[in-house]
Amino acid sequence: MTRRPVVKINLDATGEPRRRPDDLAAEEPLEIRVRKEPLAVTMRTPGQDIDLAMGFLLSEGVIRSAADVVTAQLCAGTDTPNTYNVVDIVLGADVPPPVTDPSRNFYTTSSCGVCGKASIDAVRTKSPFDVSADPLTVPAATLAALPDRLRAAQRTFDRTGGLHAAGLFTADGELVVLREDVGRHNAVDKVIGWALREGRLPLKGHLLLVSGRASFELTQKAWMAGLPMLAAVSAPSTLAAELADEAGMTLVGFLRGQSMNVYTSPQRVTV
């Protein structure tokens, strides 16, 4: 976070506008390099950058396990003063290098995720995990309680109001890990990268809750991590629902209060 002076104007209150400090969520570029070659740039909130990079590589199908990575280190980059906004990944000798061509442009932003890919087929990375066979079931009442648990754990959001969150939960509603970021996809990558380094993949018997909408890309990332359920407090997209249906993943949207919409594989949500 950083602090900036602002002029506070409140039309519902009496008195003149006043100056006050305000906390802003940090947003800086992170360059991900593989074998010292640039692969991707994402606008993210600094923190857990190694997890972000490894989660990104896994969800893009560049790596399949933590064993594919020899070293992952935060580098100084070329900025003055050094901002350490570069992560350099060295892959094992038997791991094929990532494909980089004009149809697979990995430039990303904090708002939309991976952009510039030529077609949906180019981003439909196949997961090595069969989530359709996962026997996970979650009571609807447990699901309904998760957004409040996620929100209660968002420490930085309380200060800035400007971060997305992704939380990994067990079937009984226990929060395993939470990550915040200005980018929805970055928050998810940080969770997946953490699970990858901890040797927890595939994430059988777990569900992922995101604080915004459920996009195609977030659904793909969940599938690549072996998650049988993705829940969102907002709406899913058509492609997210199609991909979840293809994967055999349960997709829950509009998880608010005591209601929710279950778009695919509803047998995992019990009433």
Side-chain angles (χ1 to χ4, degrees):
M1 294 178 293
T2 60
R3 305 204 90 190
R4 289 183 63 91
V6 300
V7 176
K8 179 71 173 181
I9 300 173
N10 186 350
L11 298 178
D12 292 326
T14 59
E16 296 294 325
R18 59 189 179 89
R19 295 184 67 85
R20 49 162 285 189
D22 188 48
D23 291 316
L24 298 180
E27 181 179 30
E28 295 180 7
L30 179 71
E31 181 178 319
I32 300 172
R33 297 176 183 171
V34 175
R35 298 183 176 125
K36 300 191 181 301
E37 292 295 324
L39 176 67
V41 175
T42 185
M43 301 302 296
R44 96 303 188 195
T45 300
Q48 297 95 32
D49 291 328
I50 299 295
D51 288 345
L52 192 165
M54 292 186 66
F56 174 82
L57 293 181
L58 180 111
S59 63
E60 286 297 326
V62 177
I63 61 176
R64 295 289 182 173
S65 71
D68 290 339
V69 176
V70 177
T71 60
Q73 60 183 349
L74 202 59
C75 305
T78 59
D79 294 336
T80 303
N82 287 332
T83 54
Y84 292 90
N85 283 337
V86 175
V87 172
D88 189 61
I89 307 285
V90 176
L91 303 179
D94 58 341
V95 180
V99 177
T100 56
D101 59 54
S103 70
R104 214 167 150 74
N105 174 11
F106 280 108
Y107 174 75
T108 75
T109 72
S110 61
S111 59
C112 69
V114 177
C115 305
K117 294 185 179 179
S119 66
I120 293 302
D121 288 340
V123 297
R124 196 182 289 269
T125 307
K126 293 294 184 181
S127 173
F129 305 123
D130 180 13
V131 301
S132 66
D134 196 305
L136 170 76
T137 58
V138 182
T142 299
L143 276 174
L146 297 188
D148 286 342
R149 294 179 188 176
L150 186 77
R151 178 67 183 82
Q154 287 185 257
R155 298 176 182 177
T156 309
F157 183 88
D158 286 338
R159 298 278 300 277
T160 66
L163 292 176
H164 294 282
L168 181 68
F169 289 88
T170 63
D172 59 3
E174 177 187 353
L175 178 60
V176 178
V177 66
L178 176 141
R179 293 291 183 259
E180 295 180 277
D181 200 280
V182 289
R184 290 185 300 268
H185 60 288
N186 290 335
V188 172
D189 278 339
K190 288 178 178 181
V191 169
I192 293 174
W194 172 86
L196 176 66
R197 290 195 304 104
E198 292 290 319
R200 289 174 172 254
L201 297 187
L203 288 168
K204 295 179 180 179
H206 291 75
L207 67 103
L208 185 71
L209 174 63
V210 295
S211 61
R213 62 186 178 86
S215 64
F216 171 90
E217 187 185 16
L218 298 192
T219 307
Q220 174 185 287
K221 290 178 183 295
W223 186 11
M224 293 296 287
L227 280 156
M229 184 179 296
L230 172 64
V233 300
S234 192
S237 67
T238 56
L239 286 177
E242 289 174 13
L243 186 64
D245 199 32
E246 175 186 333
M249 179 192 303
T250 301
L251 179 63
V252 179
F254 293 107
L255 181 56
R256 303 171 182 174
Q258 296 300 303
S259 68
M260 65 201 73
N261 293 344
V262 184
Y263 292 87
T264 59
S265 299
Q267 73 278 2
R268 291 196 180 98
V269 180
T270 61
V271 179

